[in-house]
Amino acid sequence: MKLMQDFEMSIDNASELSFVRKMFDIIAPRYDFLNKILSLRQDVVWRRILTDSLKLKHGSKVLDMACGTGDVALGICKKAAGPVKVYGADFAGEMLKLAKPKIEKAGAQSMIDLVAADAFEPPFRHESFDLITIAFGIRNIQNKPKILSEFFTLLKPGGALAVLELASPGPGPFRDLYQYYFNRILPLVGRFFSGNSFAYTYLPDSVSKFPTATRFATMMRNAGFSSVRYRKLTLGIAVLFLGQK
Ligand SMILES: C[S@@+](CC[C@H](N)C(=O)[O-])C[C@H]1O[C@@H](n2cnc3c(N)ncnc32)[C@H](O)[C@@H]1O
């Protein structure tokens, strides 16, 4: 109930969604489990496509913003042929707490540093990173032009940004089926397993508000990125955007 009030207040204030951090802190213990169930493990495939798209070099410095429980950061370390340094940043402490043992289990402590930070207050110098990734995070950030400019500033010249996000499929029978699943079934399953009714109602709502792929690509260009391209995944229910500084 309180989350719903925060949600409405954030929308009224047209500010960043203050309830988002609380929501992820609450659902953190069930987050990985529910991702796998609700996406039928497609989330694993999408993150792998994201990490496969990155040009990692020996010593690459990577920021995985909105890293959550660390799957992208771990995927990057797994993919890298040599040593890389990944900073996994997120403002939800409970998500980061879950990332830590996963990183330790993978023996990747020397390659990944976890940082508790808001995307708009990153504790990094300008032109620090060769790569920035953000998976399923940008949908939760209201001021997309501003955050894209922030990413542009944090990248070194020649650096690259990869954004993975959920999307709505184009018109057709698959969309009808998917919408039924996403808007009706998913909130029920999410509520059942997480005990939180709000988070899994907010999820389809936030996806429906995410700009079309062409519009988001234009936002990236407007923020200064070049060679912007995107790839629709699994009949368009996720999209991977890539751009260069
Ligand atoms: C859907 S989860 C994605 C987590 C992870 N990237 C993954 O692939 O599973 C979204 C994450 O974005 C984080 N997030 C949302 N807005 C943020 C912000 N302004 N600053 C930092 N983290 C943010 C949330 O705390 C949450 O952990």
Side-chain angles (χ1 to χ4, degrees):
M1 190 62 201
K2 177 78 171 68
L3 273 181
M4 183 55 86
Q5 281 163 4
D6 288 350
F7 174 63
E8 281 159 4
M9 268 172 62
S10 295
I11 294 293
D12 289 348
N13 296 338
S15 63
E16 281 308 315
L17 303 183
S18 58
F19 69 90
V20 168
R21 178 168 54 191
K22 285 185 216 162
M23 183 179 75
F24 280 104
D25 274 337
I26 291 169
I27 64 165
R30 303 306 266 171
Y31 176 80
D32 283 351
F33 170 73
L34 273 166
N35 260 356
K36 308 279 170 297
I37 292 205
L38 295 172
S39 76
L40 306 174
R41 283 190 74 82
Q42 285 301 292
D43 66 313
V44 177
V45 176
W46 297 330
R47 285 195 202 87
R48 193 172 310 131
I49 293 172
L50 162 68
T51 48
D52 283 350
S53 75
L54 304 175
K55 291 195 176 73
L56 292 162
K57 294 189 203 120
H58 186 99
S60 284
K61 209 171 150 192
V62 187
L63 170 62
D64 180 37
M65 181 50 78
C67 68
T69 60
D71 284 348
V72 170
L74 283 165
I76 292 170
C77 294
K78 207 166 153 194
K79 203 226 156 186
V84 293
K85 187 77 200 175
V86 185
Y87 293 84
D90 202 291
F91 66 5
E94 296 302 315
M95 296 289 272
L96 292 177
K97 266 191 209 162
L98 292 164
K100 199 165 174 271
K102 285 164 76 176
I103 292 165
E104 283 165 5
K105 193 168 169 213
Q109 300 95 310
S110 63
M111 291 168 90
I112 304 176
D113 278 358
L114 294 173
V115 183
D118 188 307
F120 286 107
E121 287 166 13
F124 307 108
R125 284 173 209 260
H126 292 180
E127 305 199 342
S128 289
F129 296 99
D130 300 291
L131 291 163
I132 297 180
T133 55
I134 179 164
F136 315 119
I138 208 155
R139 187 185 72 242
N140 301 296
I141 294 175
Q142 297 307 287
N143 195 338
K144 291 174 182 61
K146 190 169 169 205
I147 200 65
L148 288 170
S149 296
E150 185 73 57
F151 291 158
F152 192 81
T153 307
L154 289 171
L155 281 169
K156 295 177 188 170
L161 171 69
V163 179
L164 178 61
E165 195 44 270
L166 295 172
S168 305
F174 175 69
R175 180 164 76 176
D176 298 341
L177 193 69
Y178 179 74
Q179 298 288 19
Y180 183 77
Y181 166 73
F182 207 50
N183 295 315
R184 301 285 178 89
I185 313 277
L186 179 144
L188 293 179
V189 179
R191 181 170 65 189
F192 180 77
F193 285 106
S194 71
N196 185 285
S197 58
F198 177 74
Y200 291 90
T201 307
Y202 163 75
L203 170 62
D205 190 54
S206 62
V207 173
S208 72
K209 292 190 175 105
F210 190 70
T212 60
T214 32
R215 232 187 104 215
F216 188 76
T218 302
M219 284 183 183
M220 285 177 66
R221 284 187 200 97
N222 291 344
F225 289 94
S226 57
S227 307
V228 174
R229 59 214 181 275
Y230 61 83
R231 178 177 161 195
K232 295 192 176 185
L233 310 172
T234 320
L235 300 169
I237 61 175
V239 187
L240 173 64
F241 298 90
L242 300 167
Q244 209 95 33
K245 177 163 175 178

